[in-house]
Amino acid sequence: MSTIDFAYLRHLAIFCVVAEQGSFAAAARVLHSSRSRVSEQVADLEGALGSRLLQRSTRKLMLTEEGQRVFSRATILQEVLEDIDSITNTRVPAGRVAITMNHDIAHKFVLPALDGFIRQFPEVQIDFVLDDERVDLISEKIDLAIRIGLPRDASLIARVLHEETFAIFAQPAMLDRFGEPESLDALEAMPWVLLDLPHWHNNVRLQSKDSSRTITPSRYYRSNSPHLIHKMAAMGTGVALLLPSTVKEETERGELVQILPGWHGERTAFSLVYPSRKNLPQRTRVLIDYLVSANIFK
């Protein structure tokens, strides 16, 4: 491993400019620096290398044998810098972006909007990581997440895409069997399909215009998958507390109807979550901007 301080890489690049320009003064103009400063930095490099690279005279500079050999190898620095610049400052967004979300959001909201993004940014490819559990973005090296609710981790950035209130839904045929509930007591006695959330167990928290109440169904099925909850409610397994936008197709087809409209669940948000605003790759930035502007939850 080299014993030269990496700080001298800059001095090495300056030396290359001096060698190309043939004088300290010309190099200083290219580098927007002073002649004395450029000369000092080259001298520092020579001191670090323990070898003279330039023969100086009042009229011109000449490369020493060592200077010629160093210059022939160091010119690759400019190529490396140009390659790095082309990677990090592409005019056309390109590369892969990993985004995670639950199955329901992917199928109902993101997939219908995907074609528009592909047409606009054909060089950006997306890795979809579908999981009904919250994936750790940092440890799993994932760029973005679409989540219901806001992140509990203060180190994550969240942009709200949509806000909505949970409502109570049931299958019409199920209501024919059990009767449509007209009170919370009757609602509590019905079979339910519950989303398995921490600390909720079989409690259902409901609110009205001027009141709130928690009911505790004794007959219930439970899952950690919102997609499965929707399907089970639509097939008549039980009543469910759902976000209206997520069951829009089911209500339009008559598979689900809202009941007890005077009562509802909590208000929540669909959030676009990512680890940091700083130095976001262009490919990630364009996907964020597209999802924000596309209004996918309309």
Side-chain angles (χ1 to χ4, degrees), residues 201-213:
H201 305 294
N202 60 324
N203 296 324
V204 180
R205 304 169 186 174
L206 298 173
Q207 301 173 16
S208 66
K209 185 177 179 180
D210 51 13
S211 181
S212 63
R213 181 174 161 184

Side-chain angles (χ1 to χ4, degrees), residues 150-164:
L150 296 172
R152 293 181 288 273
D153 188 343
S155 68
L156 297 176
I157 307 300
R159 296 182 65 174
V160 175
L161 298 175
H162 177 68
E163 289 186 273
E164 195 170 353

Side-chain angles (χ1 to χ4, degrees), residues 167-169 181-195 199-208 211-220 222 238-241 259-260 263-266:
I168 309 166
F169 288 90
E182 297 182 356
S183 68
L184 292 186
D185 290 336
L187 183 68
E188 187 176 46
M190 297 186 73
W192 275 77
V193 183
L194 303 175
L195 186 61
H199 311 301
W200 277 45
H201 305 294
N202 60 324
N203 296 324
V204 180
R205 304 169 186 174
L206 298 173
Q207 301 173 16
S208 66
S211 181
S212 63
R213 181 174 161 184
T214 297
I215 63 173
T216 307
S218 58
R219 290 187 293 169
Y220 60 91
R222 192 163 56 193
V239 176
L241 202 58
I259 59 176
L260 283 179
W263 289 89
H264 57 81
E266 296 179 348

Side-chain angles (χ1 to χ4, degrees), residues 224-258:
N224 67 334
S225 168
H227 184 67
L228 185 61
I229 295 293
H230 297 166
K231 293 297 184 183
M232 293 177 71
M235 66 183 286
T237 306
V239 176
L241 202 58
L242 306 169
L243 291 168
S245 67
T246 64
V247 290
K248 184 178 179 181
E249 294 180 1
E250 290 86 343
T251 54
E252 288 176 349
R253 292 195 297 261
E255 296 171 0
L256 288 170
V257 293
Q258 185 178 350

Side-chain angles (χ1 to χ4, degrees), residues 66-139:
E66 291 80 11
Q68 185 63 56
R69 292 168 64 185
V70 169
F71 176 67
S72 66
R73 299 298 298 273
T75 49
I76 197 174
L77 281 174
Q78 186 63 32
E79 296 176 20
V80 170
L81 291 172
E82 289 175 357
D83 286 344
I84 291 173
D85 185 64
S86 68
I87 291 170
T88 58
N89 296 290
T90 54
R91 293 183 179 180
V92 178
R96 309 199 71 83
V97 180
I99 182 169
T100 184
M101 66 200 75
N102 69 35
H103 292 75
D104 208 46
I105 291 175
H107 287 280
K108 293 188 175 181
F109 302 111
V110 177
L111 189 59
L114 184 60
D115 186 60
F117 181 81
I118 293 172
R119 291 175 183 274
Q120 192 170 347
F121 302 105
E123 299 303 316
V124 178
Q125 289 88 52
I126 302 175
D127 295 328
F128 288 95
V129 182
L130 304 189
D131 200 316
D132 290 320
E133 299 294 335
R134 295 204 172 205
V135 178
D136 187 289
L137 302 188
I138 305 298
S139 65

Side-chain angles (χ1 to χ4, degrees), residues 4-12:
I4 301 173
D5 193 316
F6 283 113
Y8 285 102
L9 288 175
R10 175 177 172 80
H11 293 63
L12 196 57

